[in-house]
Amino acid sequence: MLQHGAYTLLIDSCYDREIFPTLEQALEWTWAASDQEIEAVKFVLSRFFSLSQDGTYVQDRILEELLQYHKNADT
C-alpha cells in the first residue's frame, strides 16, 4: 500500500511540476516521514524511474509525454 501511494504521488507530481525529482525532492513531494514511507519511495524510484547523471529520477513514459506536450504547445 505504501509503495502504491508513493508511486501515484510521484507520478502526479512529475506531471504537475513538469520536472523530475532528486531523491530529496521525491521524499518531500510524497511527504515521506517514517522509515517505511522513505523505503517505499526509494523502492518506487529504483523500480520505475532511472537515475540520470544530474541526480534526478526520470520516468521514460512521462518524459515522452512532456516532450510531446511542449512540442505541441510550441506550435
Side-chain angles (χ1 to χ4, degrees):
M1 297 293 286
L2 287 175
Q3 294 164 348
H4 176 73
Y7 178 81
T8 57
L9 286 169
L10 286 170
I11 296 297
D12 290 347
S13 295
C14 290
Y15 279 118
D16 183 50
R17 291 172 170 85
E18 298 182 14
I19 60 170
F20 295 100
T22 62
L23 174 58
E24 293 76 22
Q25 289 171 319
L27 295 173
E28 180 183 327
W29 294 358
T30 58
W31 295 39
S34 71
D35 290 340
Q36 294 88 357
E37 293 168 344
I38 292 168
E39 287 306 312
V41 171
K42 288 179 179 180
F43 172 82
V44 169
L45 290 173
S46 69
R47 175 101 178 179
F48 299 103
F49 290 72
S50 301
L51 181 60
S52 65
Q53 291 180 347
D54 67 357
T56 59
Y57 285 87
V58 177
Q59 208 284 335
D60 292 335
R61 171 78 186 265
I62 296 173
L63 178 60
E64 289 176 24
E65 291 183 12
L66 289 176
L67 291 172
Q68 186 63 43
Y69 167 76
H70 286 283
K71 180 181 172 186
N72 290 344
D74 288 341
T75 59

